[in-house]
Amino acid sequence: MFVYADHAATTEMSPVAIEKMTDALKTVWGNPSSLHTVGQEAKVVLEKAREEIAAVLGAEPREITFTSGGSESDNQAILSAVALGAAKGKKHIVSTKFEHHAVLHTLQKLEKQGYEVTYLDVHQNGIVAAEDVAAAIRPDTALVTVMFANNEIGTIQPVREIGAVCRQAGVLFHTDAVQAVGHLPINVRDDNIDLLSLSAHKFHGPKGIGVLYARRGVRLSSLIEGGAQERGKRAGTENIPAIVGMAAALTEAAENMEANTAKVTAMREKLIRGLRGIPYAHLNGDRTRRVPGTVNFCFEGIEGESLLLLLDAKGISASSGSACTSGSLDPSHVLLALGLPHEVAHGSLRLSIDETNTDAEVDYMIRSVEEVVSYLRRMSPVWEDLENGKRKHFFAEYESEEK
Amino acid sequence: MLYSEKVMDHFQNPRNVGKMDDADGIGEVGNAKCGDIMKMYIKVSNGVITDVKFNTFGCGSAIASSSMATEMIKGKPIDEALQLTNKAVAEALDGLPPHKMHCSVLAEEAVRAAVKDYYDKNGIAYNPEDFRENSCAHCHE
């Protein structure tokens, strides 16, 4: 059986999006900056896609800037807010310990340039408290940046509350919503969001295209200088086919969100119940406040990369936060932020499903993970020590369902 | 692909995997914090390693390196087994990715640790300088 369970990494393109995109490749090849008819026809298509995307987010079309994806949007959002703050002498940023590296690395670079960053705790359940944000804001705070949903463990942050706190304090609020858009209902007005990043390939759109939403009045700084495209905030001839594909995929995701959420949540619950049947397994992140499809577990006594490779041999595509899969020596900063020790964080597994998965696939995944975990434990000296009491277990043998 | 076919073969079908109840020497190296621990068991008769087993907690290349190392020392005189280098293990696996070379270092050290344990248990003299562990240095920088 082949099971793709890495939708948080990327998704297969929607057939509707492929059709619209290939159609645009063939027929909409004009440069929207050209004044002639071919160019202006392309401009019409571009602006229609912008309107579609704005409508889904509850934004105005002029608040939508097309970028190359989530990373670029995160970079531009942060650097823009920082530039606006610097003009008023504000050099402090509030964020969290478990942001995506597109945010964290940008913040680390700013720290070297003399900015100060407060990284908020995400607690054991992987959720930032809005009160913590309120307490961290200072008179010199230029920006609060907190992700909408975490990419590794799937926990949803109280974005609306955090946004309200920021509004009251008069501080800009950015959210990296790459894992949320297309999967959770988002309205930038109701959710008090000033800046939002999204990436098309996380909701069955094409890769290499994304959006930076910036509320009217929030002046963006450009990262790429050149032409006057995107109101002068992002130079470079627009990738119209990709933009059309993104708009189609987002519209489709929004239309089907309710049905997809019901289906995916039911499968996720079954997956969680099944994997909890494995002894000394632990669900990472809040039990219920999570995106429909993302499940992240730690299994004591084993290492994540070998787990991944053996699951791959069984036809299952998954992901892990182990050091060996990241190419670094430390396990995932997200799992460490939850307070897990290194040796436990090495044994993590992320399964991210969506509406294209089936119940039978969920059963197969549970069975396969059980088999592989017990196989690896049989050859693990760490598991041997856990069994004979030389090492202490970190988790309970079985987690209670209500937790 | 991240790994060579040989690495995948030794990872998916590890040789000499398991524990040994009557081992003459047991070596354990690595650190759970770093994500890999290797435990190697040897049986020695007349200065020859007649049997060897391993248990490993770690990534694909750590398991493959242990498996390959056991094959390379099984049936060999101890003196010869001590000549085993991490490079030889990596080469026998048709190479390892640069950030996985420490797995082969761990395999070399697991062999040496098992031999050292055998020496200790049998009162055989050796130069401690020959049995230093370095593989975990990277974790504690």
Side-chain angles (χ1 to χ4, degrees):
Chain A
M1 190 180 255
F2 173 76
V3 185
Y4 184 77
D6 203 13
H7 289 95
T10 196
T11 58
E12 189 179 0
M13 269 192 73
S14 128
V16 176
I18 291 177
E19 199 189 316
K20 296 217 171 172
M21 203 171 157
T22 43
D23 192 48
L25 276 166
K26 288 177 201 156
T27 59
V28 196
W29 48 267
N31 187 331
S33 299
S34 303
L35 285 182
H36 47 62
T37 309
V38 175
Q40 288 307 297
E41 279 170 1
K43 178 86 175 160
V44 169
V45 172
L46 175 67
E47 294 314 318
K48 188 171 162 284
R50 198 187 305 277
E51 283 164 25
E52 269 177 62
I53 290 166
V56 171
L57 298 174
E60 288 173 36
R62 56 177 285 157
E63 296 173 319
I64 301 297
T65 299
F66 294 119
T67 67
S68 65
S71 294
E72 184 186 331
S73 295
D74 284 341
N75 275 259
Q76 190 169 10
I78 293 167
L79 296 176
S80 299
V82 158
L84 291 169
K88 296 177 193 159
K90 297 180 173 183
K91 295 194 93 175
H92 175 242
I93 302 162
V94 177
S95 188
T96 77
K97 288 179 182 164
F98 75 163
E99 295 299 307
H100 189 273
H101 285 132
V103 168
L104 285 184
H105 289 175
T106 305
L107 296 178
Q108 284 159 11
K109 205 164 154 183
L110 287 167
E111 283 182 287
K112 284 188 190 141
Q113 295 167 15
Y115 287 83
E116 203 183 322
V117 182
T118 303
Y119 297 97
L120 295 175
D121 196 12
V122 297
H123 307 280
Q124 250 188 328
N125 64 350
I127 296 179
V128 178
E131 307 90 80
D132 292 353
V133 175
I137 290 177
R138 315 189 309 209
D140 64 338
T141 304
L143 170 72
V144 170
T145 172
V146 176
M147 66 201 323
F148 208 112
N150 183 269
N151 49 312
E152 286 187 38
I153 58 173
T155 50
I156 301 169
Q157 307 307 307
V159 165
R160 188 174 297 191
E161 290 79 359
I162 294 171
V165 163
C166 294
R167 282 284 151 87
Q168 203 173 3
V171 175
L172 287 176
F173 174 45
H174 165 248
T175 186
D176 171 350
V178 165
Q179 293 292 330
V181 172
H183 304 283
L184 297 172
I186 295 175
N187 181 298
V188 288
R189 302 256 174 274
D190 297 346
D191 293 337
N192 307 312
I193 296 165
D194 297 314
L195 294 149
L196 175 145
S197 309
L198 71 87
S199 178
H201 73 102
K202 306 290 190 185
F203 50 80
H204 302 284
K207 288 163 188 59
I209 193 77
V211 161
L212 172 55
Y213 157 82
R215 182 174 55 77
R216 204 167 176 165
V218 178
R219 193 185 157 81
L220 292 180
S221 313
S222 55
L223 301 185
I224 299 172
E225 306 298 339
Q229 294 91 353
E230 300 300 296
R231 304 163 52 83
K233 301 307 176 196
R234 209 288 187 175
T237 302
E238 297 86 346
N239 184 351
I240 292 184
I243 291 168
V244 166
M246 168 164 65
L250 184 58
T251 303
E252 194 182 13
E255 279 167 1
N256 300 330
M257 192 179 290
E258 219 176 277
N260 288 345
T261 298
K263 184 189 172 191
V264 178
T265 304
M267 287 193 289
R268 177 197 76 197
E269 289 302 297
K270 187 177 184 180
L271 191 54
I272 290 175
R273 279 196 304 275
L275 295 178
R276 276 184 159 177
I278 298 172
Y280 302 103
H282 168 73
L283 174 72
N284 292 312
D286 195 89
R287 176 70 187 82
T288 54
R289 282 179 284 175
R290 52 177 58 247
V291 288
T294 300
V295 166
N296 189 310
F297 267 85
C298 278
F299 302 100
E300 285 189 52
I302 62 161
E303 194 281 326
E305 191 216 68
S306 44
L307 172 60
L308 271 198
L309 293 173
L310 291 175
L311 287 176
D312 188 45
K314 288 177 178 288
I316 299 170
S317 316
S319 164
S320 170
S322 93
C324 285
T325 56
S326 67
S328 79
L329 298 166
D330 285 320
S332 140
H333 68 288
V334 174
L335 299 177
L336 296 180
L338 297 178
L340 296 174
H342 279 65
E343 51 264 48
V344 172
H346 283 300
S348 78
L349 173 71
R350 179 184 74 182
L351 295 166
S352 46
I353 55 170
D354 81 355
E355 68 282 1
T356 58
N357 292 105
T358 65
D359 240 21
E361 290 177 355
V362 171
D363 290 333
Y364 179 70
M365 283 192 279
I366 295 168
R367 217 164 50 235
S368 303
V369 173
E370 264 171 3
E371 279 171 25
V372 173
V373 167
S374 75
Y375 167 76
L376 287 171
R377 279 176 174 172
R378 279 199 300 279
M379 72 159 86
S380 162
V382 173
W383 182 249
E384 186 190 339
D385 287 352
L386 287 164
E387 286 285 274
N388 64 26
K390 275 193 204 159
R391 269 173 205 277
K392 279 208 175 119
H393 283 288
F394 193 72
F395 305 125
E397 186 170 6
Y398 295 103
E399 286 189 327
S400 60
E401 192 34 46
E402 59 273 13
K403 204 192 129 201
Chain B
M1 289 300 284
L2 175 63
Y3 293 132
S4 69
E5 271 179 41
K6 259 228 179 102
V7 173
M8 286 307 287
D9 176 36
H10 274 264
F11 164 56
Q12 293 186 308
N13 312 292
R15 329 298 200 250
N16 307 308
V17 67
K19 280 196 286 183
M20 194 188 285
D21 290 330
D22 57 345
D24 296 316
I26 303 174
E28 185 173 311
V29 294
N31 183 328
K33 197 176 172 232
C34 311
D36 28 39
I37 291 188
M38 271 179 210
K39 197 166 180 179
M40 207 163 276
Y41 304 83
I42 53 170
K43 188 94 195 126
V44 182
S45 172
N46 296 322
V48 173
I49 297 173
T50 54
D51 197 12
V52 50
K53 290 261 188 264
F54 82 91
N55 267 344
T56 290
F57 160 84
C59 57
S61 60
I63 292 170
S65 296
S66 331
S67 167
M68 181 54 88
T70 59
E71 280 216 313
M72 292 173 86
I73 63 163
K74 198 171 176 177
K76 298 274 167 64
I78 283 184
D79 290 351
E80 216 174 295
L82 287 175
Q83 304 294 316
L84 182 77
T85 63
N86 80 296
K87 267 192 170 167
V89 173
E91 273 165 26
L93 288 167
D94 291 339
L96 286 171
H99 66 288
K100 300 283 187 177
M101 280 305 284
H102 77 275
C103 293
S104 62
V105 175
L106 218 52
E108 176 194 321
E109 290 185 351
V111 171
R112 305 179 82 79
V115 170
K116 179 173 178 287
D117 183 53
Y118 165 73
Y119 284 168
D120 286 338
K121 280 177 177 159
N122 290 279
I124 300 169
Y126 57 87
N127 179 2
E129 276 295 298
D130 294 339
F131 293 92
R132 277 191 312 190
E133 273 188 45
N134 292 309
S135 63
C136 263
H138 66 267
C139 278
H140 309 296
E141 279 162 4

